[in-house]
Amino acid sequence: MPAHKQTSVFFGVAFTVAGIFLQPAFADDAPTTTSRSNPEIEKRISLLIENMTLEEKLGQLTQQWGGESQDVNPGAKKQALDDILGVVRAGIAGSFLGAYGAEYTNRIQKVAIEESKHHIPMLIGNDVIHGFRTIFPVPLAEAATWDVGLVEQAERIAAVEARAAGTHWTFAPMVDVCRDARWGRIVETSGEDPFLSAKMAAARVRGFQGEGLNRNDAILACAKHYIAYGAAEGGRDYNTVDLSEYALRETHLPSFAASVDAGVGSIMSAFNEINGVPASANDMTLRGILRNELGFDGLVVSDWSSITEMINHGYAADPADAAAKSLAAGVDMDMCSFSYRDTLKKSVESGRVSIRLIDDSVARILRAKFVLGLFDNPYAEPSLEKRVTLSAEHRAFARKVAAKSMVLLKNDAGLLPLSDSIESIAVIGPLAKNQHDPLGTWSLNGRDEDVVSVIDGLKQRVGDKVLLQYAQGSDFLTGDDAMRNEAVAAAKDAKVALLFVGEAENMSGEAYCRATIDLPAPQLELVKAVHATGTPTIVVLMTGRPIVIPWISENIQAIVEAWHPGVECGNAVADVLFGDENPAARLPVTWPRHVGQIPLYYNHKMTGRPPAENNRYTSKYIDIPWTPQYPFGFGLSYTTFAYANLTIEGAASAPSNPIKVAVDVTNTGSRDGDEVVQLYIRDLVASRTRPVRELKGFKRLSIPKGETKQVTFELTRDHLSFYGVDMKRIVEPGRFQVFVGPNCTTGVEGEFEIK
Ligand code: NOJ
């Protein structure tokens, strides 16, 4: 069974209970990729292409804004709707983005099917990034669960809601790897590690695309942004990327390769240039690696205007030049720059662009529409939309994911979990009574009124048994004495003070890059003032990225990173703070002490002079430590775990056969809990230097208190290999170290040798 065909137990249960039918919409054959595998479909595609004019073909290659929906400001949208329907009728666009709702999209679709010449349905794409209406935690937080099954289910739910609302295609998963927390879009990634990112990417693709793209519960996924968008210089969005082919392949390619292996239907080309050639016209990365090496046969869409932005890059002279270059490199669809529609006709007539290239791209777009079942079943079902949108089951699952994504960073003196018999709590901070910012970035269909605020979640949990006193204390970026004094007074009167501080939704995300990634001064002052009251103080951070918090790390006894948790924010926070959910999430990124350490990542190379405390001429700073605040993979629990009995078997016949690694993990504390067991390797001597640690396996599992579980991993050729000087993957003979533990810095160690 291919990986992308795995079934989901959760859905079997939840949706039978909910009575929702998730059967194939029209056919027995349920395609899970956009590859050309069905001769019947290929025949229909050829027939259409034979009968289309060049203008109509260019229409299929064009994606434009779809007017959102009628219930968003209907008056203002009236004109837009007329224009939109006109475009559909004329067949001069093949796809919309930003069109939502079963009724609205059906209206568009009806015109396409009934009034356009070839009756070709519209392909409607949207940014369904961490949920559709049921907003889940931001992607970085989802990755912090280290639970691929959970993330897959979250995307299933997103797909169910989106498809019911007329969305056929999501511009997700974002599979960029990022080692720079200044970059606002780190929030959309699965963090800094290629292996974790690849696992999350595949899970998300499976989740979106489900059991068959022609079903009414599945949407086409789009792995983005191809490629190396996360390596923008200075952490500044859209910025130049200059990196070796080795780094490109080792760090940035694996998550795309995993997406392709999982059957992803589409890929988005990125805004950035790579070594002087923009990603949206990069023949080496698009045709060379993506199409030829990885064998990707699906649809490639540009990012928004990334084709004509090549004029700014200095890579194209004008829109015609840009369009010809992108098409030649393999970008099938133009998102919103209109350069294909406006210029390719002339370029074909002048002989610059071959019609064969255009036909190939049209075919890929039509194939996606066929595979999605849109020719036979173009409409969304309003009654299904009503039933699934923000259903109780979806909310319950969002709460679970949110609680499982919260990282316990510090818990001295066992301040957490809170006791049920606590008398009073001060609930303070700009995120404490906030129903907007917990949604996080890219929650286009999320609504503030859907969000359970922290204070409401806590009230729900404690009823009238505990006195909750709220004070905002400060805004995100500004504050004053009066606000702070009110918070201090609340803290003084309480047995414990909970501070909910961090970032507003628009402090991370696209174009929300920060040169200083600290907790803004008014919030830090608030934390200090509350701490100074002497009331035990717990800081709950809600952010879209790691932020720099040296004072808090040193002085506050208990710290939780709750990220932007989505609609179930308050309930999930209460679950974790009161211990109904024993936290087990782990950092998918290295947490810096200071912005000046960036880029800081765990899988770095060893230098000739590794940092050493008492040797000046080693690789370090004179003003701050070289070590992170919290390492990659780090996170605490309300219980404790011990690792023992590492065994390594099968090295003699490796890499032809897998090496088996096993370890005993014991829950040595007094509560049941989950542990994320992580396996890292180090290839000690190689023809190309290898990182000091490389994640090659992880398992999140529940271990009851007092019990021991044996956890096993397999290391295959794939895990042991790297790109040699000829850019081919090789495994070299020699010694490898193995580390198995709760994060990248501790655990049990062993060694094996490949002969
Ligand atoms: C630009 C973003 O870079 C991309 O991620 C997104 O999918 C498109 N805009 C469409 O909204």
Side-chain angles (χ1 to χ4, degrees), residues 44 63 142 160 270 280 324 353 380 492 517 545 632-633 652 681 734:
R44 291 175 73 181
Q63 181 179 66
E142 290 181 329
V160 166
S280 289
V353 167
K492 273 188 185 150
I517 53 168
R545 54 153 69 87
F632 175 81
I681 62 164

Side-chain angles (χ1 to χ4, degrees), residues 7 14 29 80 143 149 233 241 283 339 382 394 431 441 476 648 651 664:
T7 40
D29 166 37
E233 282 180 0
V241 170
D283 194 66
S339 61
H394 292 183
L431 283 142
T441 190
F476 285 102
I648 303 172
D664 289 341

Side-chain angles (χ1 to χ4, degrees), residues 411-428 458 462 466-471 487-500 530-531 533-540 556-559 577-578:
N411 193 20
D412 284 1
L415 207 52
L416 285 170
L418 297 172
S419 148
D420 280 326
S421 54
I422 195 161
E423 290 153 32
S424 57
I425 306 176
V427 185
I428 297 167
L458 291 172
V462 301
V466 182
L467 183 68
L468 297 178
Q469 204 180 341
Y470 164 76
V488 165
K492 273 188 185 150
D493 288 346
K495 293 286 179 211
V496 68
L498 300 179
L499 276 153
F500 296 88
V530 168
H531 171 74
T533 62
T535 300
T537 298
I538 295 163
V539 166
V540 180
I556 297 293
Q557 284 182 306
I559 308 167
L577 296 184
F578 281 93

Side-chain angles (χ1 to χ4, degrees), residues 126-183:
N126 285 307
D127 287 284
V128 184
I129 305 296
H130 50 115
F132 186 74
R133 176 75 181 272
T134 302
I135 299 295
F136 285 86
V138 288
L140 189 63
E142 290 181 329
T145 65
W146 292 60
D147 187 333
V148 287
L150 202 74
V151 171
E152 181 177 335
Q153 304 304 353
E155 306 301 28
R156 285 274 58 241
I157 288 174
V160 166
E161 292 191 2
R163 184 79 186 237
T167 294
H168 316 125
W169 182 20
T170 175
F171 306 122
M174 196 275 217
V175 306
D176 297 308
V177 167
C178 176
R179 293 165 163 183
D180 189 336
R182 293 171 299 180
W183 191 48

Side-chain angles (χ1 to χ4, degrees), residues 97 127 171 185 224-225 268 271 303-304 335 442 510:
L97 82 165
D127 287 284
F171 306 122
R185 300 196 83 169
K224 70 184 187 186
H225 306 78
M268 184 184 293
F271 285 123
D303 203 342
W304 184 296
M335 181 190 283
W442 286 119
E510 184 180 348

Side-chain angles (χ1 to χ4, degrees), residues 249-587:
R249 287 176 178 273
E250 287 276 338
T251 305
H252 300 277
L253 189 58
S255 51
F256 287 97
S259 304
V260 173
D261 282 349
V264 73
S266 69
I267 301 268
M268 184 184 293
S269 68
F271 285 123
N272 53 285
E273 68 156 74
I274 305 148
N275 305 338
V277 182
S280 289
N282 198 308
D283 194 66
M284 177 238 180
T285 57
L286 286 167
R287 286 208 190 273
I289 298 181
L290 182 65
R291 296 253 189 245
N292 296 341
E293 276 183 43
L294 302 183
F296 178 68
D297 194 23
L299 154 62
V300 175
V301 62
S302 77
D303 203 342
W304 184 296
S305 283
S306 66
I307 298 179
T308 47
E309 284 175 19
M310 296 193 305
I311 301 167
N312 281 345
H313 280 283
Y315 189 74
D318 52 33
D321 192 26
K325 283 176 170 153
S326 286
L327 189 79
V331 177
D332 301 307
M333 185 182 279
D334 171 4
M335 181 190 283
C336 297
S337 93
F338 301 105
S339 61
Y340 280 12
R341 187 162 83 192
D342 293 348
T343 73
L344 285 180
K345 184 163 188 266
K346 261 201 180 145
S347 301
V348 170
E349 286 163 358
S350 72
R352 175 166 185 190
V353 167
S354 115
I355 190 73
R356 191 187 52 75
L357 269 186
I358 292 179
D359 287 351
D360 279 357
S361 291
V362 174
R364 284 201 198 90
I365 290 157
L366 294 178
R367 197 171 293 123
K369 294 181 179 186
F370 274 111
V371 162
L372 282 158
L374 298 179
F375 279 89
D376 301 270
N377 190 18
Y379 301 112
E381 298 168 49
S383 61
L384 181 66
E385 180 186 29
K386 245 193 222 124
R387 254 183 325 184
V388 298
T389 302
L390 204 67
S391 71
E393 286 86 356
H394 292 183
R395 289 199 75 119
F397 199 71
R399 175 175 183 167
K400 187 165 156 177
V401 179
K404 287 190 185 296
S405 76
M406 294 178 186
V407 187
L408 182 63
L409 292 174
K410 187 174 174 186
N411 193 20
D412 284 1
L415 207 52
L416 285 170
L418 297 172
S419 148
D420 280 326
S421 54
I422 195 161
E423 290 153 32
S424 57
I425 306 176
V427 185
I428 297 167
L431 283 142
K433 201 180 188 171
N434 185 324
Q435 286 182 281
H436 175 70
D437 296 290
L439 286 172
T441 190
W442 286 119
S443 42
L444 301 176
N445 287 272
R447 298 191 187 170
D448 294 2
E449 71 256 28
D450 299 340
V451 175
V452 180
S453 70
V454 165
I455 188 90
D456 285 345
L458 291 172
K459 265 188 206 144
Q460 192 76 22
R461 174 62 175 74
V462 301
D464 46 20
K465 290 193 304 254
V466 182
L467 183 68
L468 297 178
Q469 204 180 341
Y470 164 76
Q472 187 181 329
S474 93
D475 277 323
F476 285 102
L477 300 173
T478 56
D480 58 37
D481 288 348
M483 287 174 96
R484 207 165 34 248
N485 291 343
E486 193 195 352
V488 165
K492 273 188 185 150
D493 288 346
K495 293 286 179 211
V496 68
L498 300 179
L499 276 153
F500 296 88
V501 292
E503 293 188 314
E505 157 271 314
N506 63 3
M507 288 170 69
S508 53
E510 184 180 348
Y512 297 125
C513 302
R514 297 177 61 196
T516 53
I517 53 168
D518 45 10
L519 184 67
Q523 294 191 67
L524 184 57
E525 259 181 72
L526 172 68
V527 175
K528 288 181 177 174
V530 168
H531 171 74
T533 62
T535 300
T537 298
I538 295 163
V539 166
V540 180
L541 300 169
M542 288 193 192
T543 64
R545 54 153 69 87
I547 59 169
V548 166
I549 48 162
W551 189 91
I552 292 177
S553 294
E554 263 162 50
N555 295 283
I556 297 293
Q557 284 182 306
I559 308 167
V560 176
E561 170 57 84
W563 315 102
H564 288 146
V567 284
E568 285 291 320
C569 167
N571 288 331
V573 162
D575 290 342
V576 168
L577 296 184
F578 281 93
D580 304 332
E581 175 76 33
N582 187 353
R586 300 299 163 83
L587 294 176

